[in-house]
Each structure stands twice: as structure tokens, then as C-alpha cells.
Amino acid sequence: VSGGSDRNSYLFSLNYYNQQGTIISTYQKKYALRSNTQFAIGKHIRVGENLSYTINDNPRITALSEGSLVGYAFRIAPIIPIYDIKGNYAGNFGTKLGNSLNPYATAMRTKDNKGLGNRLFGNVFADVDILSGLTLHSGFGGESYTGTYHSFQYPTYENIENTTSNKYTEGSYYGYNWTWTNTLTYHKVFKKHDAQILVGTEAFNEYDQSMEGNIQSFFSFDPNYTTLGTGSGTPVVGSLRSFQSLWSQFARLDYQYNEKYLFSATIRRDGSSKFTDENKFGYFPSVTLGWRLSQENFMKGVDWISDLKIRAGYGILGNQINLHQDNQYATFNADKNASYYDITGSNSSIAQGFRTGQIPNIQAKWEKDINTNIGFDASLFNNRWEITADYYQKNIKDLLLDPALPGTAGNGTAPYVNIAQMHTNGFDFAMTNHTNITHDLRMDATLTVTSYTNKIIKVAQGSNYFYSNDQRRFNQNFIINQVGQASGEFYGYKVAGYFNTQAEIDAADAGAKKATGDPTAVYEEKAGLGRFKYVDVNGDGQITSADRTFLGSPHPDFTYGLNLGFSYKGFDLSAFFYGSQGNKIWNNVKYWTDLYPTFDGAKSRVALYNSWRPDNLNAQAPIAEKDGYFSTTTQPTSWYVENGSYLRNKYMILGYTLSSKVLSKASIQSLRVYVQASNLFTITKYKGVDPEINSSAPASTQAIDFGVDEGSYPTTKQFIIGVNLKF
């Protein structure tokens, strides 16, 4: 419901959303209430508010991990049914059936695990015209959120690795943040000059806390019975809380002369509670210049250029989001498992002790992101063509990183320090065309292209690389961040093919003996027929850890999008296509399905029909053997790295709007019916389920660990029939 006048306006809306997930017992339910109002008080005062309240019920599952429902679904041996002959859940309790759980049983046992979140978000504001051109603005906004969740761990009986205990877990969280902004703006237009000056302050405060408890040994597993008070075990409880604040002052000048010469400059002074008093504040300037060439006299004769503007900018942004509030403090933790000790030697009592928690860094300061860009905006042929292009560079100095500490530092959490440096440059391009193909047929098309390169300049003193903490089943890291390379690159042994003959193995071993002078040397550990032959990168005649190399980057060469719109009389058709080109994906699903000796369970057609054999030398997988070796399954190799490029139709909509003449008789202002298809098709060479992988790492490392597929939640096709009706 909305309405208003030139002085007042209002909007109220209520929304209910309920969608079942692709995986059984998953869904999302959302209730949303929204209110927006604005009122004029006299001629010089305006007040308003924007407010929304949402309730979200979404029992989400994990993905991209071997222990997820998606992972179980492709790993479980296909001969295992949902139920056994007595109606109980079937599983891998037996021999040679692997360790994957029954995904249906897992889904049913977790279907009563719930989570409910509430969020109140909005702001109120007031604008006061003090003098002609001088306006005071004050806005106060923020959010308050609460949530609860609970889960129950059932004992299992059908697996080779059963869980024998039962446990109920319940938790809650609460938090809020607010931002108070006050600005004073003076705007003056005189002759050909247009100037605006803004000064202001901004305060930000955030607080959150959480509590969680669990207890074991329940008499009944009924969801209506299980609470923290009905278990007979020993309760285990814990809580967390954190807070931070920011305080900023800023000023901005915008100036243009005769709509031809544009200038803008900003200076910010930001202070964060995450730093000590000495380094609390940082200063961050920026400046932008623009020149509208199309307004110059020498361009007046160029009729095919409707508008042309070139612009350039330079600025420094501050970042402190990586830091926790404790980074500047030395903390000590009490832990029953690590810091309690029977100091009397009685074997019957323990005394509380403390161990190092956070190792402090009192010298941490703002990370600086130095940005420069140059670009242009053009409208051509009476605005039929619109082009925007930008080239930018981003240099991150004093990058906040938590490098590993020497063992003498103890077991405390390593602090973030200003030690690393990274460089990124990129190009953004957008082109739009508006064409009347015929009198009734019109086309609007927009093409966007984005390309960037990323390079690590510095990591830490005395070290030029660090591994991401992601090993999977290899027991060694396969993602590296090294100076001179992009962040998060895949790392391991490069596969040159297979050992196809014993003579080939003997020749390689002979070369190793000659190169090393060692009569016992071999080219590659556990080399054998049908096993991987690795590339000797450093040329020393042997395959060692020094031959690990860069195997590919998850960063794309470029991404692109194409938005098409057609209208013909009452019909309209729109479509959006998105693509990524040049990025690599680490297909870790192949570890489980395409390699025979890894884990018992479901094997792919590749493993069963296209493994190496003497009559199948160009196989897609190494020889099927009982055991795994250095030359097959135990090492991260280029065999897992695949082309992740794709083109996807994100959506396509066909609609028809009825004539207003027909609708006016029924007091209807407009009526449109439409059909919509989402994710209609995807073109890709990637062999996994979905090339569009968001992340494969915990939230703390998502920036450097991505592009790893361990069983992604598939993107589904969706079909919608809808009606838009306005009275």
C-alpha cells in the first residue's frame, strides 16, 4: 500500500515467502514487514523513516564438504538401499562398503533441527534547511537481531563408524549495531559555477553475544521432550561476546564549471576501537576529475557524439575488518583440557590454570587500499549507443595478515600485523544499444565485461609464501599464496601422463641414477604401469617435493554478461546470460568417485570403464588398483584441475501486457501476465555438477580458498508463471 503527495509519501508492505529446497527437509520461510514514510513539516523541515522487520526460518545444510548430504549422495555405495529388510535405515555396516552415511537417514535425523532468526533494520532521518542552500541532515539507523537454534544428534546403528551417544544442542544469539550520521551541506550555483561542500561526522557501534549448551544421555528422542533440562548427562555450556566502534569525520567538495569541468575531493578521518590509541585514526583522501569533452566548442561539429566524458580518480581506503577486538591485547584462557593440573599430585583434584590466548600486536594500524582509475562515458548516435569503460589499479599496503609464528611463541593465536602487500589491476567495460528494429519492435541490449589480474607483492619478513589451511585427504596443502602469483592458486605435482611400459619406467630410473650419482635412485616413488608420471620441474632427474608447482588459478581471465530486452506491441521478452572464462576448478569429487583405491563406495563410470589398461593408454583415470600410492592417490596433482569456464542463461522472461483500453472498463490500470525460466541451460566443459562454485572454505579464509568442488549444492532450474495487476 503506497501513496502520498508532493509533500508527504508512505509505503507499507507485507511479504510471505515459502520455498522447499532441492534436498529433502530443507526449505526457506521468510516473513517481511516494511514501512517507509516521509513528511514535510512546513517549508524547511522534512522527516522520515525506513523500517523493515523480518523473520527467517531456514534450516540450511553444509555443502562443498565430504561430510555433507551432497557428499554422501555421490559417495554412498549404490547397492545400499534406504531401508533394510526389517524397515530400519540401511548403511555401510559390513565390509567394502565405504564410510559414507545414508544421506536419506541423515536428512531424516536432522529434519527437526531448527533455526529461527529475527531482524529489525531501518533508520530515521531529518533534513532542515537552515539558510538558502544550507541543509542540515541527521540520520540514525541500525539493526537489532536475535536468533535461536537447536539440534539433536541421534545414535546410529547401521554404519561401520557409528555414533553411539545422543546429544541435544541449543543456542541463541543477540546483537545490534547503530550508525549516527550528521552532515552539513552548502550548495551554491552562480553563473557557470556549481559548488557543493559537505562536512560531517559518523559514529558506529556494534555488539553481539551468543550462548550455547549441550547435554547427553536422553531417555526419549522425541523432539517435544529433548531440552537442556531433560538430559541426564553433564551439561556443557559456553558463551561469547564482542563489540567494536568507529568514529569518523569527513569533508567533501564537488565543483563543476559550465557542466564541462568536474572536480570532487574527499578527506576522511576514521578511528577504530580495534587499534591502540597511537594508531587508532587513519586519514584517507580521494580526488576525482572529469572533463565533458562533448560540451567543448571543438566538438560541436561532431554530431554522432551525443555525450562524451573522461574521468580519472585517486583515493585511499582504510580497512580493519580482518581484525578482532582482541588483536591489541594479551589474553589468557582457562581450559580444562589444557590448563588444569593436579598440582598436588593427589590424582584426585585439579587446580585451574591459564594458557596463552591471544598474542598481542599493539603496533597494528589501518590497512591502506590505494586505488587509481581512469575511464570514459560516451553516448553516440543520438544516445542509441552508450559505452562506459574503466581501467583501475588497486595496491594494498600494510595488508593485515596473521602469519605463522615460530614455535617459541607458544600455542596462542597469532596476531594480525601490517606485513603483506597485494596488487590488482583490472578493466570494466559496458556497452548498451537501443534500436527500433521496426515501428513496433524495439531491442535493448547491454554487454558487460570485467577482467582483472591479482598478484601478491609481499607476504612476511623472511618468507615469500604461505599455504591456505586446506588439505582434504592429501595430508598436505594444495592451495598456496606466493609472491609474484595470484592469491589462492592450486599447487602440487603436474601430471605428464601415465607410465605405459616398464621400459619407460626403467629409462626414467636410469636417468635419475645418472643425474644424482646414486645407484639406488628412482625417478618417482612407487612408479608403476598405469600410474601418474609427474613432470620433473626443477630438472634434477627425480620427483621430489621441490617439483611441486603452480597448477592453475581460480581467478577468471574475464567475466561477462549479456542482457537482452525486446518489446513488440504488448509483448516483452528479456534474457540475461552470464559467463566466466579462464578460471580453474579443483574437482575434488574425482578423489572419491574416479580413483578406485581411495575409499570404498560409489565409483564413477570413469573409474569402472575408463581407467588405465594396456589397451586403454589414453584413459581418464589411472590404473584401478587395490592400494593407493604416491604416484596415484596420495598427492595433490594437476589431474584434479579442470577448466571452470561456463556460460549460463540466468533467466528468461516472456510477458504480455493487456491494452489499457480493454482494462479501463474494469477499472484496472494495468495487467501483465508472464512466464519466467531461471538457469535454463549452462554451457561448460567442467565435468562436475555445477561450475558456479561460491566457496569451499570457512568464512575466515574464503578470500584465499575458493574454486574447490567437494560436492556443490546444484543450481536448479526454476519456472514461474506470474501476474502483475494494478488498480
Side-chain angles (χ1 to χ4, degrees):
V1 179
S2 63
S5 64
D6 58 343
R7 294 176 55 80
N8 307 300
S9 63
Y10 63 88
L11 180 147
F12 302 101
S13 67
L14 179 65
N15 179 268
Y16 170 68
Y17 178 86
N18 186 351
Q19 185 177 39
Q20 299 301 306
T22 301
I23 293 178
I24 192 169
S25 300
T26 62
Y27 60 87
Q28 182 176 15
K29 296 180 181 178
K30 188 174 183 179
Y31 311 84
L33 176 66
R34 181 183 173 192
S35 171
N36 294 346
T37 62
Q38 181 171 319
F39 301 96
I41 303 174
K43 296 182 179 181
H44 304 292
I45 300 176
R46 296 166 298 281
V47 297
E49 54 80 27
N50 302 285
L51 187 67
S52 68
Y53 177 69
T54 58
I55 301 174
N56 194 31
D57 181 5
N58 181 210
R60 293 174 293 179
I61 67 161
T62 58
L64 293 171
S65 68
E66 64 178 74
S68 68
L69 289 175
V70 177
Y72 293 151
F74 68 74
R75 287 175 49 209
I76 190 169
I79 65 171
I80 298 177
I82 293 178
Y83 301 103
D84 63 20
I85 59 174
K86 296 206 175 210
N88 300 309
Y89 291 128
N92 55 44
F93 191 83
T95 59
K96 301 300 181 181
L97 293 176
N99 69 341
S100 175
L101 304 185
N102 182 331
Y104 182 82
T106 303
M108 291 297 99
R109 286 174 173 143
T110 57
K111 67 182 178 64
D112 293 314
N113 296 349
K114 303 291 184 181
L116 190 68
N118 303 268
R119 181 174 183 256
L120 178 64
F121 176 80
N123 72 297
V124 295
F125 65 89
D127 292 321
V128 181
D129 298 327
I130 301 174
L131 298 171
S132 176
L134 183 63
T135 302
L136 173 66
H137 170 84
S138 183
F140 185 88
E143 65 174 330
S144 176
Y145 54 89
T146 62
T148 61
Y149 59 90
H150 62 83
S151 61
F152 189 80
Q153 174 186 290
Y154 283 83
T156 60
Y157 51 80
E158 73 275 11
N159 302 311
I160 192 68
E161 300 172 354
N162 281 313
T163 300
T164 58
S165 61
N166 60 79
K167 181 172 69 173
Y168 174 77
T169 301
E170 184 174 323
S172 64
Y173 57 89
Y174 160 76
Y176 67 83
N177 62 69
W178 55 259
T179 302
W180 187 21
T181 305
N182 295 278
T183 62
L184 191 63
T185 304
Y186 181 71
H187 185 200
K188 182 69 173 179
V189 178
F190 52 100
K191 296 183 179 180
K192 296 182 179 182
H193 305 274
D194 188 333
Q196 179 173 288
I197 300 174
L198 179 146
V199 294
T201 63
E202 188 168 78
F204 172 81
N205 185 272
E206 181 179 65
Y207 174 85
D208 62 79
Q209 66 178 39
S210 61
M211 294 180 290
E212 183 177 281
N214 66 72
I215 192 169
Q216 296 183 349
S217 303
F218 284 85
F219 169 76
S220 171
F221 300 161
D222 189 326
N224 296 315
Y225 173 79
T226 52
T227 68
L228 291 176
T230 53
S232 60
T234 301
V236 178
V237 297
S239 64
L240 294 170
R241 60 177 175 268
S242 65
F243 49 87
Q244 64 167 312
S245 59
L246 294 164
W247 169 244
S248 306
Q249 305 92 44
F250 50 87
R252 175 170 176 165
L253 169 64
D254 294 310
Y255 171 79
Q256 60 173 310
Y257 174 76
N258 199 25
E259 298 185 348
K260 290 193 296 185
Y261 309 112
L262 314 173
F263 172 81
S264 178
T266 302
I267 180 67
R268 293 186 61 93
R269 178 179 182 261
D270 295 308
S272 171
S273 62
K274 296 180 179 180
F275 303 111
T276 61
D277 290 342
E278 292 181 357
N279 299 315
K280 188 177 298 294
F281 287 95
Y283 294 85
F284 309 105
S286 66
V287 61
T288 301
L289 299 172
W291 180 20
R292 181 167 278 114
L293 281 78
S294 55
Q295 297 294 324
E296 295 289 355
N297 292 330
F298 60 80
M299 293 290 292
K300 289 184 177 180
V302 187
D303 297 334
W304 57 277
I305 297 180
S306 307
D307 187 42
L308 177 62
K309 180 175 69 175
I310 60 173
R311 45 189 164 72
Y314 171 87
I316 302 176
L317 301 176
N319 179 41
Q320 44 85 58
I321 198 169
N322 289 345
L323 292 187
H324 190 270
Q325 191 73 22
D326 290 346
N327 194 72
Q328 59 183 300
Y329 301 107
T331 63
F332 297 89
N333 301 334
D335 186 335
K336 289 183 179 180
N337 295 323
S339 61
Y340 282 50
Y341 187 71
D342 181 20
I343 196 168
T344 65
S346 64
N347 293 325
S348 61
S349 65
I350 56 176
Q352 176 176 319
F354 294 90
R355 63 180 178 85
T356 301
Q358 172 71 50
I359 298 174
N361 176 24
I362 62 174
Q363 297 178 339
K365 58 184 179 180
W366 284 87
E367 176 183 302
K368 294 181 179 179
D369 299 356
I370 304 172
N371 297 269
T372 58
N373 78 284
I374 184 170
F376 71 88
D377 304 304
S379 295
L380 311 176
F381 304 106
N382 293 322
N383 298 317
R384 182 178 176 182
W385 290 89
E386 298 172 7
I387 300 175
T388 297
D390 283 276
Y391 174 79
Y392 65 89
Q393 289 189 355
K394 180 177 182 179
N395 290 289
I396 304 178
K397 291 187 177 181
D398 299 326
L399 191 150
L400 289 163
L401 184 68
D402 55 341
L405 297 177
T408 53
N411 294 324
T413 301
Y416 279 80
V417 296
N418 301 94
I419 198 168
Q421 187 174 344
M422 185 181 295
H423 173 81
T424 301
N425 62 75
F427 177 75
D428 295 331
F429 175 81
M431 181 172 62
T432 300
N433 173 256
H434 310 283
T435 301
N436 292 318
I437 300 175
T438 66
H439 178 72
D440 296 315
L441 179 60
R442 177 180 173 84
M443 180 190 74
D444 298 281
T446 299
L447 172 69
T448 60
V449 179
T450 296
S451 176
Y452 71 91
T453 57
N454 171 263
K455 183 182 291 187
I456 298 173
I457 305 301
K458 180 182 178 182
V459 170
Q461 193 71 29
S463 176
N464 68 341
Y465 72 93
F466 70 95
Y467 292 109
S468 302
N469 189 24
D470 197 344
Q471 297 184 346
R472 306 300 162 116
R473 292 281 180 167
F474 302 115
N475 294 321
Q476 62 178 286
N477 299 287
F478 62 92
I479 296 176
I480 193 172
N481 302 274
Q482 182 169 311
V483 171
Q485 301 293 135
S487 61
E489 289 206 27
F490 303 129
Y491 192 72
Y493 295 97
K494 187 175 181 179
V495 175
Y498 304 107
F499 287 107
N500 291 322
T501 64
Q502 185 61 45
E504 187 178 350
I505 298 175
D506 295 341
D509 289 343
K513 293 179 175 60
K514 181 179 180 181
T516 62
D518 182 357
T520 64
V522 295
Y523 177 78
E524 184 175 313
E525 180 185 341
K526 298 294 183 180
L529 292 179
R531 298 175 188 169
F532 290 133
K533 180 181 180 180
Y534 301 140
V535 175
D536 180 16
V537 174
N538 64 357
D540 66 354
Q542 283 185 302
I543 299 300
T544 65
S545 60
D547 292 304
R548 290 180 298 167
T549 187
F550 303 99
L551 303 177
S553 171
H555 299 279
D557 294 332
F558 62 91
T559 59
Y560 56 97
L562 178 62
N563 204 325
L564 297 174
F566 297 90
S567 60
Y568 178 75
K569 295 184 178 180
F571 290 94
D572 62 89
L573 174 66
S574 60
F576 177 61
F577 303 86
Y578 179 80
S580 178
Q581 188 68 34
N583 60 296
K584 302 298 182 181
I585 295 177
W586 185 281
N587 187 356
N588 214 59
V589 174
K590 294 167 62 174
Y591 174 88
W592 303 95
T593 61
D594 290 13
L595 295 175
Y596 185 81
T598 48
F599 277 80
D600 294 317
K603 295 301 177 183
S604 67
R605 187 174 183 85
V606 169
L608 298 176
Y609 293 95
N610 206 349
S611 293
W612 186 94
R613 300 188 310 272
D615 61 341
N616 187 27
L617 302 182
N618 295 319
Q620 296 182 28
I623 186 172
E625 300 178 279
K626 177 182 177 181
D627 299 315
Y629 301 100
F630 176 89
S631 297
T632 52
T633 63
T634 65
Q635 304 300 313
T637 70
S638 61
W639 181 74
Y640 296 95
V641 180
E642 295 187 18
N643 184 356
S645 303
Y646 69 93
L647 171 63
R648 170 167 286 166
N649 171 238
K650 286 287 191 178
Y651 67 80
M652 189 172 293
I653 306 173
L654 175 63
Y656 180 74
T657 302
L658 274 70
S659 171
S660 58
K661 295 181 180 180
V662 177
L663 299 174
S664 60
K665 298 178 181 180
S667 300
I668 298 175
Q669 184 176 345
S670 66
L671 174 62
R672 177 176 176 267
V673 294
Y674 66 93
V675 292
Q676 175 178 331
S678 301
N679 304 308
L680 197 58
F681 63 83
T682 302
I683 301 173
T684 183
K685 293 183 179 179
Y686 179 59
K687 298 175 183 178
V689 173
D690 192 342
E692 194 170 14
I693 300 172
N694 294 324
S695 176
S696 62
S700 60
T701 59
Q702 283 182 358
I704 51 179
D705 285 13
F706 60 99
V708 180
D709 187 1
E710 187 86 73
S712 60
Y713 194 102
T715 300
T716 58
K717 295 179 182 178
Q718 186 181 67
F719 300 92
I720 297 175
I721 299 175
V723 177
N724 294 332
L725 181 63
K726 182 184 287 188
F727 295 95

